[in-house]
Amino acid sequence: MADAVLFEFLHTEMVAELWTPDPDPGSGGQKTCPSVLESVGFRVGQALGERLPCDTPAFREELDVLKFLCKDLWVAVFQKQMDGLRTNHQGTYVLQDNSFPLLVPMASGLQYLEEAPKFLAFTCGLLCGALHTLGFQSLVTASVAALPAWAGGWLRDGRPWQSTQQVSPDARVLLGWSPSAGAEAFSLSERSLP
Amino acid sequence: MADAVLFEFLHTEMVAELWTPDPDPGSGGQKTCPSVLESVGFRVGQALGERLPCDTPAFREELDVLKFLCKDLWVAVFQKQMDGLRTNHQGTYVLQDNSFPLLVPMASGLQYLEEAPKFLAFTCGLLCGALHTLGFQSLVTASVAALPAWAGGWLRDGRPWQSTQQVSPDARVLLGWSPSAGAEAFSLSERSLP
């Protein structure tokens, strides 16, 4: 069974070929467009979002969608379920992966932590694209608290996620969406995709 | 089980982002460098070649390597075995896939046939990279006789493969290698990787 290995090798090569540092944020300190890697992830997520729910019941509640992300989508891509799911019941969701496969090969250390964003961009886009297909326009962010785990977040209603309030030293994924997020864009750690 | 779908979606996006037409051949009508997609495939093939043979016995004969390509590698990437394997016992091998998954979604027709090379470049590099890891420097070519099947070939001792002599109207993969191929390069339909 080398499928997971194949995806990881492909992802590594995509990062090598497609990663470009985020451009300077605009006057409002917000990113104006997604990176190429995020866009690729977005389109792959859109396609997976169309394909996977065929076997699942209709998504009527946000919680159904979150379960789909944590189970079906994560298993399809990473062969594991998400390690944790929390919400503040105000549109912010926290999904935690303690052994994010795309960062597991990296050693821990500050110098590697600085390199981590390039290994998160595709997955941010992937989640955003899957949510878009399921009818939820979302803002997805990601950050790493400690290697080899990672954390990301998205917010409802376009409000930026305050990582200092919600991230503990261990790593987690934080997810949230807003159906009316519109064109609001975020800085490097708080991403937006159309 | 969405792994195969994930790879296909990723490959589609890689083609969209990384495909560039081959540059004009040099004075000898030979390609001077592999395309970006071939290079990506080459590195992924190298990595797969290192990972997969752990469970298999040592590769002493060319035939062992061909069996590895037709079974282990093809199953790992495409979830199916190669449909056919032939050789002229002079260093040219013919591997045939009658339902090449990366072309199956395409409709048949001349206009699509002209687009096919961009969907073959990654796999040419993949085979070449796996062979490189296993100690065989190779020249890999690919061509499509009919959609949705495909055909490719590589040659021993740097001699170009004469497709008119070996390709029948049905589709197949033609593979061959030369441990001493050196820097000899080929045109679009007869590829070389370092």
Side-chain angles (χ1 to χ4, degrees):
Chain A
M1 177 64 178
D3 299 352
V5 176
L6 176 64
F7 168 66
E8 288 168 24
F9 291 158
L10 271 175
H11 182 269
T12 300
E13 293 303 323
M14 282 196 302
V15 169
E17 294 291 340
L18 297 177
W19 170 257
T20 51
D22 281 310
D24 290 335
S27 56
Q30 296 176 340
K31 216 172 81 170
T32 52
C33 63
S35 70
V36 176
L37 263 181
E38 281 177 291
S39 299
V40 167
F42 185 83
R43 294 193 295 272
V44 172
Q46 277 185 312
L48 282 177
E50 289 172 1
R51 182 68 68 96
L52 288 170
C54 296
D55 304 328
T56 58
F59 295 97
R60 296 181 186 166
E61 306 285 341
E62 287 183 355
L63 196 59
D64 295 330
V65 176
L66 275 168
K67 286 179 181 172
F68 164 73
L69 294 179
C70 293
K71 295 186 176 180
D72 303 79
L73 185 70
W74 223 244
V75 168
V77 177
F78 298 116
Q79 289 77 49
K80 70 190 286 293
Q81 291 189 20
M82 198 74 80
D83 293 310
L85 165 62
R86 294 188 307 171
T87 176
N88 63 357
H89 301 290
Q90 294 177 358
T92 298
Y93 294 88
V94 178
L95 282 75
Q96 178 170 346
D97 189 332
N98 292 329
S99 57
F100 185 59
L102 301 180
L103 289 180
V104 163
M106 296 180 71
S108 61
L110 261 186
Q111 72 274 35
Y112 300 110
L113 206 58
E114 290 168 0
E115 292 290 304
K118 63 175 71 172
F119 295 98
L120 303 173
F122 173 85
T123 306
C124 282
L126 186 89
L127 289 168
C128 215
L131 284 162
H132 185 266
T133 295
L134 298 173
F136 295 91
Q137 196 164 7
S138 62
L139 305 167
V140 177
T141 70
S143 63
V144 178
L147 288 168
W150 78 296
W154 90 71
L155 274 193
R156 190 169 207 164
D157 300 329
R159 289 173 293 111
W161 165 61
Q162 300 300 319
S163 62
T164 51
Q165 297 175 4
Q166 306 213 21
V167 168
S168 67
D170 62 337
R172 71 189 62 168
V173 185
L174 301 172
L175 305 171
W177 67 70
S178 167
S180 57
E184 186 147 5
F186 283 75
S187 64
L188 173 64
S189 63
E190 288 133 356
R191 301 162 192 280
S192 170
L193 281 169
Chain B
M1 176 64 177
D3 299 351
V5 177
L6 176 63
F7 168 67
E8 288 167 24
F9 291 158
L10 271 175
H11 182 268
T12 300
E13 292 303 323
M14 282 197 303
V15 170
E17 294 292 340
L18 298 176
W19 170 257
T20 50
D22 282 309
D24 290 334
S27 57
Q30 296 176 341
K31 216 171 85 170
T32 52
C33 64
S35 69
V36 175
L37 263 180
E38 281 177 291
S39 299
V40 168
F42 185 82
R43 294 194 294 273
V44 172
Q46 276 185 312
L48 282 177
E50 287 172 2
R51 182 68 69 94
L52 289 171
C54 297
D55 304 328
T56 57
F59 294 96
R60 295 181 186 167
E61 305 285 342
E62 287 184 356
L63 196 58
D64 295 329
V65 176
L66 276 168
K67 286 179 181 173
F68 164 73
L69 294 179
C70 293
K71 294 186 176 181
D72 303 79
L73 184 70
W74 223 244
V75 168
V77 178
F78 299 115
Q79 289 78 49
K80 70 190 287 291
Q81 290 190 20
M82 198 75 79
D83 293 310
L85 165 61
R86 295 188 306 171
T87 177
N88 63 356
H89 302 290
Q90 293 176 0
T92 298
Y93 294 88
V94 178
L95 281 76
Q96 179 171 344
D97 189 333
N98 292 329
S99 57
F100 185 59
L102 301 181
L103 290 181
V104 163
M106 296 179 72
S108 61
L110 261 185
Q111 71 274 34
Y112 300 110
L113 206 58
E114 290 167 1
E115 292 290 304
K118 62 176 69 170
F119 296 98
L120 302 173
F122 173 86
T123 306
C124 283
L126 186 90
L127 290 167
C128 215
L131 285 162
H132 185 265
T133 294
L134 299 174
F136 296 91
Q137 196 164 7
S138 62
L139 305 168
V140 177
T141 70
S143 63
V144 178
L147 287 169
W150 78 296
W154 89 71
L155 275 193
R156 189 170 208 162
D157 301 329
R159 289 174 294 110
W161 166 60
Q162 301 299 320
S163 63
T164 52
Q165 296 174 5
Q166 306 213 21
V167 168
S168 67
D170 61 339
R172 70 189 63 167
V173 185
L174 301 172
L175 306 171
W177 65 71
S178 167
S180 57
E184 186 147 5
F186 283 76
S187 63
L188 173 62
S189 61
E190 289 132 356
R191 302 161 190 281
S192 171
L193 283 168

